[in-house]
Amino acid sequence: MLNFDSFNNFPVKEVAENLGIALLAIIIGLLLKFILKKIFLFFSRYWATFTLNVVVKYLDNAVGFFIPLVLLDASLEFMKLNATAYLQLNRTLEIALTINFCIILIKTIKILEESFFHYNDLNKEDNLKERKLRTQLQFIRKFAVSLILIVTASIILLSFESMRKIGAGLLTGVGIGGIIIGFAAQKTLANLLAGFQIAFTQPIRIDDVVIVEGEWGRVEEITLTYVVVNIWDQRRLILPITYFIEKPFQNWTRVSADLLGTVFLYLDYNTPIPPLREELTKVLHAHHLWDKRVNVVQVTDNKEATIEVRFLMSARNSGQAFDLRCHVREHMLAFVRDNYPQSLPKTRVEYNINS
């Protein structure tokens, strides 16, 4: 907090001069910011790039404060201030500059992330590389932002003499403190280490299709401590990040987005299989979701009263595979019902008339 009593010894003329210097520094800073913004807008008009537009979008306000603050801090050398007032003003401006610079760094990281997302489309069919990089980038961004905030808070606190003494004491006992914190925050540290492991070994990635806790969904977000899975019915399943290190789960898009879809029908023993193969081929060739890789009909099992017929097909991703399976199931059921009604499951009962 500023000690305004230190200004009482100044003559009115010197106070006015100091205010004039400060006001001039702020005006020059705002003018430089205005010119810099116009230059960026000029280039964005004739050399339009996504990155340039994002820079203007995110850094406009942050730089708008930073330039006047730098010039105001430099103008202290031209002001007539006593030592106490100078130190207090200088410390206040240094804290403001530190906070502003922290904001600029965070927004710069956001610019880099958005530029990457723009030039690497996650919505294309073969997006394995993009999902790998996005998973790593999101984790690194969150970790870097957390680190920047911690360092900024430390710099601000250590600018005060009382905090320096506390900081020196903390550094002296850092070994013991680390052991105590380690025991107290074992789960938090385990989650953080698991986050690093997932970001770089990648058992899951952003937009991976997974079966977890009996639910089908997509990995929507990976944070430092938990994972958000967007379930098919738009519910969100929140799991600790260690879950994906310690427990088994299904990842349908671990290697590629291509996927095989299956449809099982349980039919009578007298069902003719060749017509089913011909009909499946006809259905798949007429459907835009089939990627023309796999088209198979097999009898995979037999029960006491029915046989299990598997229709195997392929699609470009899990969403398309699901829709294709539903279409094939609906069509093949109608085909059997209309053309081979005797092949539908039935229960046979034999009566012995003589008895």
Side-chain angles (χ1 to χ4, degrees), residues 214-228:
E215 300 282 3
W216 183 96
R218 290 180 180 272
V219 177
E220 183 177 64
E221 184 180 3
I222 301 175
T223 72
L224 298 179
T225 54
Y226 63 87
V227 175
V228 180

Side-chain angles (χ1 to χ4, degrees), residues 275-287 290 295-297 332:
L276 298 183
R277 290 196 176 100
E278 294 175 5
E279 187 64 21
L280 178 65
T281 300
K282 187 188 302 182
V283 171
L284 292 180
H285 277 286
H287 206 287
W290 185 50
N295 168 18
V296 177
V297 176
M332 296 307 298

Side-chain angles (χ1 to χ4, degrees), residues 71 107 134 153 168 200 209 215 269 280 355:
L71 292 179
K107 288 187 178 293
R134 178 171 286 205
F200 293 98
V209 176
E215 300 282 3
Y269 271 83
L280 178 65
S355 63

Side-chain angles (χ1 to χ4, degrees), residues 267-269 301-308 346-348:
L267 303 172
D268 194 75
Y269 271 83
D301 198 2
N302 62 297
K303 310 292 183 183
E304 291 182 359
T306 60
I307 59 172
E308 181 184 80
K346 58 176 68 71
T347 301
R348 292 179 173 85

Side-chain angles (χ1 to χ4, degrees), residues 14-230:
E14 291 184 355
V15 172
E17 288 179 357
N18 291 337
L19 290 175
I21 292 171
L23 186 61
L24 181 63
I26 293 172
I27 292 172
I28 294 174
L30 292 174
L31 184 61
L32 288 175
K33 180 257 180 181
F34 176 79
I35 294 171
L36 190 63
K37 182 179 179 180
K38 287 298 181 182
I39 291 172
F40 269 94
L41 291 175
F42 174 80
F43 279 109
S44 65
R45 187 180 305 165
Y46 295 99
W47 183 41
T49 64
F50 177 82
T51 304
L52 200 59
N53 292 329
V54 172
V55 168
V56 174
K57 173 185 173 183
Y58 282 103
L59 292 184
D60 184 18
N61 292 330
V63 174
F65 283 103
F66 186 74
I67 296 175
L69 282 173
V70 169
L71 292 179
L72 185 58
D73 185 54
S75 70
L76 292 181
E77 301 296 331
F78 301 97
M79 295 183 187
K80 297 178 181 179
L81 300 170
N82 60 32
T84 305
Y86 178 84
L87 288 174
Q88 290 178 348
L89 281 172
N90 188 54
R91 179 184 296 171
T92 302
L93 289 172
E94 285 180 353
I95 291 172
L97 281 168
T98 302
I99 294 172
N100 193 253
F101 188 68
C102 167
I103 294 171
I104 290 175
L105 286 178
I106 293 173
K107 288 187 178 293
T108 301
I109 293 172
K110 185 65 178 175
I111 289 169
L112 295 174
E113 184 184 44
E114 285 213 8
S115 297
F116 170 81
F117 291 165
H118 177 75
Y119 292 111
N120 296 271
D121 185 14
L122 191 66
N123 296 319
K124 66 181 185 180
E125 291 176 357
D126 186 12
N127 62 355
L128 180 62
K129 176 184 175 183
E130 286 73 16
R131 289 188 290 110
K132 282 183 178 180
L133 294 174
R134 178 171 286 205
T135 300
Q136 292 177 342
L137 196 62
Q138 282 200 358
F139 184 85
I140 292 171
R141 176 180 62 82
K142 290 171 182 176
F143 182 77
V145 169
S146 300
L147 189 62
I148 289 170
L149 291 174
I150 292 170
V151 171
T152 301
S154 302
I155 291 172
I156 292 172
L157 291 175
L158 290 175
S159 66
F160 297 95
E161 189 64 31
S162 58
M163 291 294 110
R164 289 180 191 172
K165 293 178 182 178
I166 295 174
L170 288 173
L171 289 174
T172 304
V174 68
I176 299 174
I179 294 173
I180 294 172
I181 292 171
F183 278 111
Q186 289 183 51
K187 288 188 177 180
T188 302
L189 292 174
N191 281 332
L192 186 60
L193 293 175
F196 274 109
Q197 186 174 348
I198 283 177
F200 293 98
T201 61
Q202 297 195 337
I204 56 171
R205 308 180 189 92
I206 298 295
D207 207 44
D208 263 348
V209 176
V210 295
I211 303 292
V212 59
E213 295 292 306
E215 300 282 3
W216 183 96
R218 290 180 180 272
V219 177
E220 183 177 64
E221 184 180 3
I222 301 175
T223 72
L224 298 179
T225 54
Y226 63 87
V227 175
V228 180
V229 178
N230 185 358

